[in-house]
């Protein structure tokens, strides 16, 4: 079976975890500080603050930026739910807007349309490893005096006009969940160039503690563990090589897939796509439907997945706001199909997957 996702971890990570345990510092400690410094360096930002999940990173960054009750935050409707729930966790309202039909990332025109006096921030998601249209969105935010937050959960190492993601807005928020481009088990990171924001994130993630047992604001326990950081430090050293494997697998698919009606993903001008997912689109011209194709591939030992079968505005938790209209996200959720692209997928696997799809008769 070729799985749709598989973390690329091995003896180096095991040794690093064993060494971290031997130090006796199992919770936050010097290993986390070292990982934060290395990650900040990698992203070319001044500060990085370790968290225990990507959701915690988003929630903490938004809280640290002062997002709260009565505020609106614009988010794309086509993303993983946590982009929106992090806003709800602050007591603010996520305003879902549509995405561009070819890049699948937030549509700048939609951002302009939904901006209003209550809008405090826009979260752009670098979806599936592709940076969103940073320049137009950042310009809209700057003109409206609204904060820009990057959801980088799926885009470690992705670049926009030659610059790594994570430093374009007030804050960048990463996830290190095992299926991501790099992992710490569970984990997350906030990146920023603002020292005060970094300090506030650190405080919020540590019970709102400004001094030993002095709690000056509402906080949480969102701290990263030394064990996670030990895995993360090894993974960070391998990240570029792992991303190159993802890119090579993606390039092979795009070059060789030849199934009428099955669209391959676009790499936008100026973007370095790191292919967290390789997302095809089963259009109406494809001779069968997506579910039949998925079942057929499963029978042939090829794992696939749908990212995402339901846009955020239709999720039961958010449904019921008739004002949200996102036809592109609706259409995409019925068409998209992800093929295995992770670094564990070999050239032979890619060739087999392409042959299986191209040779199928419906
Ligand atoms: C776009 C996006 N945002 C946020 C998250 C939340 O990250 P985590 O699962 O680490 O909480 C994820 C990951 O699942 C994600 O894909």
């Amino acid at each position: 079976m070729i799985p749709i996702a598989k973390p690329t971890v091995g003896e180096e990570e095991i040794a690093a975890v064993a060494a971290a345990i031997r130090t006796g510092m199992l919770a936050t400690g010097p290993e986390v500080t070292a990982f934060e410094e290395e990650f900040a360096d990698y992203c070319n930002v001044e500060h990085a603050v370790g968290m225990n999940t990507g959701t915690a990173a988003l929630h903490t960054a938004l809280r640290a930026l002062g997002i709260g009750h009565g505020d609106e935050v614009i988010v794309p409707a086509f993303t993983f739910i946590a982009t929106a729930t992090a806003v709800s966790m602050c007591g603010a309202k996520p305003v879902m807007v549509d995405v561009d039909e070819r890049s699948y990332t937030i549509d700048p025109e939609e951002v302009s349309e939904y901006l209003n006096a209550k809008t405090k921030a826009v979260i752009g998601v670098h979806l599936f490893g592709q940076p969103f249209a940073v320049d137009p969105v950042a310009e809209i935010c700057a003109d409206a005096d609204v904060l820009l937050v990057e959801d980088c959960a799926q885009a470690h190492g992705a670049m926009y006009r030659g610059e790594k993601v994570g430093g374009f807005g007030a804050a960048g928020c990463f996830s290190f969940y095992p299926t991501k481009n790099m992992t710490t088990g569970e984990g997350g990171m906030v990146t920023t160039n603002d020292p005060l924001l970094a300090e506030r994130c650190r405080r919020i993630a540590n019970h709102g503690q400004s001094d030993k047992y002095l709690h000056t604001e509402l906080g949480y326990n969102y701290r990263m563990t030394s064990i996670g950081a030990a895995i993360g430090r090894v993974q960070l050293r391998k990240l570029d090589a792992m991303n190159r494997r993802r890119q090579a697998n993606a390039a092979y698919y795009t070059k060789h897939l030849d199934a009428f009606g099955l669209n391959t993903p676009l790499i936008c001008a100026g973007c370095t796509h790191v292919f967290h997912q390789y997302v095809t689109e089963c259009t109406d011209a494809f001779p069968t439907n997506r579910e039949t194709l998925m079942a057929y591939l499963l029978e042939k030992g090829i794992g696939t997945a749908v990212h995402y079968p339901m846009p955020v505005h239709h999720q039961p938790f958010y449904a019921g706001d008739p004002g949200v209209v996102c036809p592109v996200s609706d259409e995409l959720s019925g068409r998209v199909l992800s093929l295995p692209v992770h670094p564990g997928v070999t050239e032979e696997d890619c060739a087999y997957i392409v042959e299986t799809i191209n040779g199928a008769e419906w």
Side-chain angles (χ1 to χ4, degrees), residues 2 10 17 32 49 53 101 110-111 130 139 143 165 189 199 237 257 269 300 307 312 354:
I2 306 169
V17 166
V32 176
V49 185
T53 61
E101 62 186 358
E110 287 270 304
V111 175
Q130 167 130 277
E139 197 180 317
D143 288 350
V165 301
M189 192 78 85
E199 193 186 310
R237 291 199 289 274
L257 273 175
K300 301 285 180 190
H307 300 105
V312 177
V354 165

Side-chain angles (χ1 to χ4, degrees), residues 53-56 58 79-80 82-83 125 127 151 153-154 174-177 180 186-187 276 308:
T53 61
T55 309
L58 281 164
T79 180
F80 181 65
T83 313
V125 181
L127 196 72
D151 183 335
Q154 306 186 355
F174 290 81
S175 163
F176 300 122
Y177 184 73
K180 298 296 194 276
E186 293 273 12
H276 169 58
Y308 295 96

Side-chain angles (χ1 to χ4, degrees), residues 21 35 84 94 102 122 148 154 201 204 206 240 253 283 285 343 353:
I21 292 173
F35 181 39
R102 280 306 276 133
V122 174
L148 174 62
Q154 306 186 355
C201 285
I204 289 171
N206 187 25
D240 286 343
Y253 289 144
T283 67
I353 291 169

Side-chain angles (χ1 to χ4, degrees), residues 128-143:
F128 305 143
Q130 167 130 277
F132 65 86
V134 173
D135 281 353
V137 175
E139 197 180 317
I140 293 164
C141 289
D143 288 350

Side-chain angles (χ1 to χ4, degrees), residues 311-353:
V312 177
H313 62 291
H314 289 315
Q315 293 293 340
F317 179 61
Y318 285 119
D321 184 346
V324 186
V325 181
C326 299
V328 177
S329 301
D330 292 345
E331 182 88 13
L332 286 174
S333 60
R335 290 177 162 197
V336 286
L337 180 66
S338 305
L339 300 179
V341 74
H342 56 85
V345 177
T346 64
E347 285 175 27
E348 296 73 49
D349 293 334
C350 287
Y352 171 67
I353 291 169

Side-chain angles (χ1 to χ4, degrees), residues 5 34 53 192 281 295 355:
T53 61
T192 181
E281 241 184 273
E355 257 168 48

Side-chain angles (χ1 to χ4, degrees), residues 202-282:
R202 216 173 272 293
R203 193 162 60 234
I204 289 171
N206 187 25
H207 301 289
Q209 180 173 272
S210 50
D211 219 331
K212 184 96 175 152
Y213 297 130
L214 182 68
H215 305 273
T216 44
E217 64 179 313
L218 176 64
Y220 311 88
N221 181 352
Y222 282 167
R223 297 179 306 243
M224 177 177 272
T225 67
S226 297
I227 295 167
I231 300 172
R233 293 182 73 192
V234 177
Q235 288 271 295
L236 185 59
R237 291 199 289 274
K238 297 178 175 174
L239 177 60
D240 286 343
M242 293 194 291
N243 280 344
R244 280 196 295 275
R245 267 266 23 105
R246 287 176 180 272
Q247 289 162 333
N249 289 342
Y252 186 92
Y253 289 144
T254 298
K255 183 164 177 203
H256 297 284
L257 273 175
D258 185 22
F260 188 69
L262 189 72
N263 287 356
T264 54
L266 176 79
I267 301 178
C268 296
C271 289
T272 302
H273 193 321
V274 290
F275 286 97
H276 169 58
Q277 297 295 350
Y278 184 88
V279 179
T280 64
E281 241 184 273
C282 237

